[in-house]
Amino acid sequence: MQFKRVVVTGMGALTPLGNNLQDYWTALSNGVSGADMVTLFDTTKFKTKFACEVKNFNPEDYMDRKEARKMDRFAQFAAVTTDEAIIDSGLNLDKIDKTRIGVIWGSGIGGLTSFFHESADFARGDGTPRFSPFFITKMISDIAGGLVSIKYGFGGPNYTTVSACASSNNALIDAYLYIKLGKSPIIITGGSEACINEPAMGGFSTMRALSERNDDPKTASRPFDKNRDGFVLGEGSAALVLEEYEHAVARGAKIYCEVIGTGLSADAYHLTAPHPEGHGVINVLKWALEEAQLSPKDIDYINVHGTSTPLGDVAELKAISAVFGEHAYNMNISSTKSMTGHLLGGAGAAESVATIMAMKHNLVPPTINHFTDDENIDARLNLTFNKAQSKNINYALSNTFGFGGHNATVVFKKI
């Protein structure tokens, strides 16, 4: 079998920094924080009262009101970003075989807001089951990809990957592999999450995973800073059109980049904590480079998982130093979660888009909110603190890791 080459020909984004791809990139490159006080529910009794919400989002600006009411917010996000990505790709859907186009989506939690509201309404009632007929379809994680396939008539592979915060990188990797194996010429992939709600905020807070910097939310997500105190919950979505290279060239598509390597591993260590020496991350980085047929010195930039947690940030950088050696000091490293917050299952897609845009513009988005060096972090690493840096980026990595010890890495190449 001869493997196919896989390229990215379209992208869309809906994030706490902007409601389309260009606004998202502009905010990233300017070091803007998407954090603010929560507006989606009453946080009076919650320890953490802020998050990175998608702003000024009205689903009726994008879809019929009746359709919007059938969908959880995470699925609405998916619909909006896939529309943008497909338009951006320039695909003429009347001239391609839609039965072979797939949709592989990622979401760590799915319709938690719908589940919570329906359950709360039932608990407040007299025990009579008055559930919405759309309750189940709003809740299940796979529905986002299903809705996209129904809207466009895409009849190829269709499913959702669930691996916590690695979910949408897992989706991208699966999409890449299906095209590489010749099973589909085009797959729409990405991820979405909309969990700024009572159970998510309460649950993560009880785990002591969230920052509690309520007095200054815009500086609360501070990866690699000595005084980081947890991640900032975010929401949003990003979509990518992955396409077989020859197919893209034949139709004259613009090509953002090529996907050339992927890695998947497990820490096999703890429910929520990373392996302290980053063993699983070391493996995923090595395997991604191996598949890409690159050496560590080839990599110019890593968009790291970098959530702003005390343990996770250190473990990830230890793993990078172990794999890249002296070259670790020549690369740029940054965490865009310092600006977007943590989009959970949507993080990998949003950060892959950020990485690809960084390659396109030869500009590394910053890790904002750095104030105090952490003595446990090697000061020689270029973590791109506080301001974007110009750099010729030919090869870049995007890391995402999830509770349960799931690790997923993707390697991109400039064309």
Side-chain angles (χ1 to χ4, degrees), residues 100-112:
R100 297 193 63 219
I101 298 179
V103 183
I104 302 178
W105 204 250
S107 185
I109 301 177
L112 181 60

Side-chain angles (χ1 to χ4, degrees), residues 103-398:
V103 183
I104 302 178
W105 204 250
S107 185
I109 301 177
L112 181 60
T113 299
S114 295
F115 182 87
F116 172 66
H117 287 161
E118 291 276 349
S119 300
D121 287 346
F122 176 72
R124 285 191 291 263
D126 61 4
T128 303
R130 297 186 179 92
F131 291 93
S132 164
F134 301 107
F135 171 41
I136 299 299
T137 53
K138 289 172 73 172
M139 174 191 70
I140 53 180
S141 299
D142 70 294
I143 203 65
L147 287 166
V148 172
S149 72
I150 292 166
K151 176 176 180 178
Y152 287 102
F154 295 152
N158 188 283
Y159 60 90
T160 289
T161 56
V162 180
S163 50
C165 304
S167 295
S168 52
N169 252 12
N170 265 123
L172 196 160
I173 290 169
D174 280 12
Y176 159 77
L177 292 174
Y178 270 97
I179 298 172
K180 183 177 180 178
L181 293 170
K183 292 181 177 292
S184 181
I186 300 170
I187 293 183
I188 314 303
T189 189
S192 58
E193 207 82 89
C195 286
I196 300 178
N197 51 39
E198 294 90 335
M201 291 283 284
F204 283 123
S205 182
T206 300
M207 294 171 65
R208 303 182 66 83
L210 294 182
S211 171
E212 297 180 5
R213 207 176 296 276
N214 294 304
D215 57 334
D216 193 8
K218 290 195 178 299
T219 70
S221 184
R222 46 179 73 183
F224 316 121
D225 187 87
K226 180 178 182 177
N227 298 312
R228 63 192 181 278
D229 68 330
F231 74 81
V232 177
L233 188 60
E235 63 173 358
S237 177
L240 303 93
V241 177
L242 265 57
E243 188 167 354
E244 192 271 319
Y245 173 74
E246 297 293 345
H247 189 280
V249 170
R251 69 178 184 87
K254 76 172 181 296
I255 295 175
Y256 281 103
C257 67
E258 184 174 0
V259 184
I260 60 169
T262 62
L264 295 167
S265 76
D267 280 355
Y269 174 72
H270 190 273
L271 279 176
T272 57
H275 191 285
E277 299 303 318
H279 288 173
V281 179
I282 289 171
N283 285 336
V284 83
L285 290 170
K286 285 183 175 178
W287 296 339
L289 289 171
E290 182 181 292
E291 183 178 50
Q293 299 184 333
L294 297 177
S295 68
K297 64 180 176 58
D298 292 318
I299 302 302
D300 301 302
Y301 169 51
I302 302 180
N303 187 305
V304 291
H305 187 57
T307 58
S308 186
T309 57
L311 296 179
D313 289 4
V314 172
E316 183 173 11
L317 293 182
K318 279 186 178 179
I320 289 171
S321 293
V323 172
F324 288 88
E326 287 295 314
H327 181 65
Y329 307 128
N330 299 324
M331 304 184 300
N332 275 76
I333 297 168
S334 74
S335 171
T336 48
K337 287 186 181 73
S338 61
M339 295 175 276
T340 65
H342 195 345
L343 272 58
L344 307 179
E351 290 159 17
S352 288
V353 167
T355 305
I356 293 166
M357 292 295 280
M359 294 180 70
K360 174 180 169 63
H361 295 280
N362 289 314
L363 186 72
V364 179
T367 305
I368 66 169
N369 299 329
H370 181 75
F371 304 100
T372 307
D373 289 342
D374 183 343
E375 60 274 13
N376 296 308
I377 291 175
D378 190 339
R380 293 172 294 175
L381 294 169
N382 183 357
L383 300 174
T384 321
F385 284 136
N386 297 325
K387 187 176 180 180
Q389 294 178 14
S390 295
K391 187 181 184 71
N392 187 31
I393 305 171
N394 292 309
Y395 297 99
L397 296 177
S398 179

